[in-house]
Amino acid sequence: MQEDKFTYSHTHREVSMAAIVLYPTTGMGHLISMVELGKLILTHHPSFTVNILLPTAPYATGSTAQYISAVSTTNPSIIFHHLPPVSLPLDPASYSCVEALTFDLIRLNNPNVHTAIQSISQTSTVHALILDFFCNAALDVATELDVPAYFFLTSGASFLALFCHFPTIDRSTNKNFKDLETTVNLPYLPPIPLSHMPEPMLEKDTTEYAGFIDCSVGLSKSTGIIVNTFSTLEPKAVKALADGVCNPDGPTPPVFCIGPLIVTNRQIGNEGDDKVLGSECLTWLDKQPSQSIVFLCFGSLGLLSKEQLREIAIGLEKSGQRFLWVVRNPPSEDKKQRFLTQPDPDLNSLFSDGFLDRTKERGLVVKRWAPQVAVLNHEAVGGFVTHCGWNSVLESVCAGIPMVAWPLYAEQKFNKALLVEELKLALPMNESETGFVSATEVEKRVRELMESEEGNSLRERVTAKRNEAMKAMEEGGSSRVALAKLVEQWK
């Protein structure tokens, strides 16, 4: 495994390699996205080396060692650099949210990032520093070292367009967004209530809100923005970004839509029985009729209460549909537990009313994880109930699977509006004012997705977008052209 443990030599060696430095924030999801970007660059432009800087998390994020080892073995041009630990001003459990902690962690890591890039520069010419959205503070390092800085946004172009407008929205009111019924109406986006913005952006006088404002302003200071989407998926937003109309305060840097970038062979690395779980899912799917299964999965952070899980169970049972459902433990009420790896759920305890026995002929409930890309691309799967995380959206589009949109956190409420109202690739899962979804609503939407004419129309539109996605990634396709233009800037 290639890793730099930061034992520095001050010997000046001949600079010969062309290097790109990628800087994700902590967490497996952010790391995997950056690795996939690195792989994409190397596939089409193998003359580069890709260096990935890994900040040390001050809390348990799950081991990444096995994943990093596997990537290093199969991709020798990807080199991982572990940044030294930093001391946070607060205990991790004392932060109001993960985002506030992350902004502090990234800011305090700037000296380490500076040292790391200087070390890499001893043997290579660093052509670009590509920052995770949350790593805005490292723009200062790029400026100090005179290295062009880019952002990599794992959300879509539409959310980027909204986010570029964020400082303008901020100036329009002194009130907290969570207290407003005001709707943001921009011609290139679906209408979105301010109360549906990501949770860390709902209250103004917070560290996390200030951090997001800084990130929005930082976008305009970068050399370019790389987005995991393709131009015909979100044509209005892509055009608005190209025309520079999303940021009234100044110019928008060039935007490079290089997606869909999805993980086709996902090695999680911190959960030893993933292969067994994956095999169980796929073996079970092999026995099911074509396009008969609705797949329910809410991401690694999508935790639902025990009451909500039981309501889903009732709805699924009443729907009569075949299903594959990934269940995680309900969230802990202890804030200190939020950074710890959750144990497997006790399914017999969660569903003590006999649900598992009654539905065993047509449903499979799996604990914690399933090989999502493989499941979505299986012949037996015909629909996807999703939390609307952008990676999951792209995976569903690339598999040609229509969705039911059930957002839980981050920018997912916005993604729901985009999928339902603008792109018409999903049905909405409607919730109460408290955010609870009834069994009746689950039953209705699952049936509608799998049995109705509207469900069939969604399926046709998603299939068309899948074909467009494939064309975008082909030689001469829009995403390949965008990647070539990006790399041309580095040369």
Side-chain angles (χ1 to χ4, degrees), residues 66-89:
Q66 187 178 331
Y67 171 75
I68 289 171
S69 177
V71 171
S72 298
T73 301
T74 54
N75 300 271
S77 292
I78 296 180
I79 304 163
F80 294 92
H81 307 262
H82 292 268
L83 302 182
V86 297
S87 297
L88 292 171

Side-chain angles (χ1 to χ4, degrees), residues 170-417:
D170 169 64
R171 291 193 298 268
S172 70
T173 178
N174 292 321
K175 294 182 178 179
N176 291 326
F177 294 170
K178 68 182 181 67
D179 301 323
L180 295 172
E181 296 182 5
T182 309
T183 298
V184 180
N185 288 294
L186 297 169
Y188 42 86
L189 297 176
I192 177 85
L194 281 176
S195 58
H196 286 187
M197 295 286 268
E199 189 172 344
M201 296 163 67
L202 294 180
E203 292 193 49
K204 289 200 168 200
D205 294 325
T206 63
T207 302
E208 55 271 25
Y209 186 94
F212 277 101
I213 288 285
D214 288 344
C215 284
S216 181
V217 173
L219 289 172
S220 63
K221 298 177 181 178
S222 67
T223 309
I225 306 170
I226 306 163
V227 188
N228 188 10
T229 191
F230 55 101
S231 58
T232 59
L233 180 62
E234 308 171 82
K236 288 183 182 178
V238 170
K239 184 178 187 303
L241 289 163
D243 292 345
V245 300
C246 304
N247 181 10
D249 295 337
T252 301
V255 174
F256 303 92
C257 299
I258 51 83
L261 192 57
I262 61 173
V263 183
T264 53
N265 181 22
R266 187 163 185 169
Q267 302 145 305
I268 298 300
N270 63 329
E271 304 186 22
D273 55 350
D274 284 346
K275 288 184 178 179
V276 176
L277 285 169
S279 176
E280 177 194 8
C281 290
L282 300 176
T283 300
W284 182 81
L285 286 171
D286 287 342
K287 301 172 184 175
Q288 308 306 315
S290 175
Q291 295 191 333
S292 67
I293 300 296
V294 59
F295 176 48
L296 299 91
C297 189
F298 300 97
S300 58
L301 300 177
L303 307 181
L304 299 169
S305 68
K306 183 182 288 189
E307 294 75 20
Q308 184 64 84
L309 292 172
R310 289 177 174 174
E311 205 76 6
I312 295 172
I314 295 168
L316 284 176
E317 186 171 2
K318 287 186 174 179
S319 76
Q321 300 297 319
R322 296 174 184 269
F323 64 87
L324 172 59
W325 181 15
V326 180
V327 171
R328 288 178 170 266
N329 259 326
S332 171
E333 295 182 6
D334 182 357
K335 283 180 68 174
K336 293 183 179 180
Q337 298 293 313
R338 63 183 170 177
F339 297 122
L340 301 179
T341 303
Q342 293 296 308
D344 281 359
D346 181 347
L347 298 181
N348 291 320
S349 172
L350 284 173
F351 308 115
S352 56
D353 63 348
F355 162 75
L356 296 173
D357 286 333
R358 292 194 303 274
T359 59
K360 64 183 179 182
E361 296 303 320
R362 60 179 175 85
L364 178 65
V365 179
V366 297
K367 301 175 182 179
R368 187 175 34 77
W369 181 84
Q372 183 163 294
V373 172
V375 169
L376 288 170
N377 282 279
H378 197 284
E379 171 66 22
V381 174
F384 183 26
V385 179
T386 174
H387 64 313
C388 304
W390 191 248
N391 283 337
S392 292
V393 168
L394 290 178
E395 289 167 4
S396 197
V397 168
C398 289
I401 300 296
M403 291 163 270
V404 173
W406 185 344
L408 298 177
Y409 55 91
E411 87 288 13
Q412 293 164 10
K413 288 185 177 179
F414 175 81
N415 290 345
K416 174 187 177 182

Side-chain angles (χ1 to χ4, degrees), residues 40 44 229-233 257-261 397-398 462-483:
L40 178 70
H44 302 293
T229 191
F230 55 101
S231 58
T232 59
L233 180 62
C257 299
I258 51 83
L261 192 57
V397 168
C398 289
V462 175
T463 300
K465 289 298 177 189
R466 177 189 65 186
N467 295 336
E468 291 174 14
M470 292 170 64
K471 287 181 180 177
M473 295 299 277
E474 291 173 355
E475 185 70 39
S478 61
S479 295
R480 286 283 295 278
V481 170
L483 180 64

Side-chain angles (χ1 to χ4, degrees), residues 42-118:
L42 291 172
T43 296
H44 302 293
H45 304 277
S47 61
F48 288 102
T49 58
V50 170
N51 296 265
I52 301 181
L53 309 184
L54 301 175
T56 301
Y59 52 85
T61 59
S63 172
T64 58
Q66 187 178 331
Y67 171 75
I68 289 171
S69 177
V71 171
S72 298
T73 301
T74 54
N75 300 271
S77 292
I78 296 180
I79 304 163
F80 294 92
H81 307 262
H82 292 268
L83 302 182
V86 297
S87 297
L88 292 171
L90 300 173
D91 180 88
S94 299
Y95 280 86
S96 57
C97 62
V98 175
E99 291 83 1
L101 185 157
T102 299
F103 287 133
D104 263 4
L105 178 68
I106 297 303
R107 175 178 55 81
L108 293 167
N109 258 303
N110 268 5
N112 293 330
V113 173
H114 191 287
T115 304
I117 295 175
Q118 281 188 319

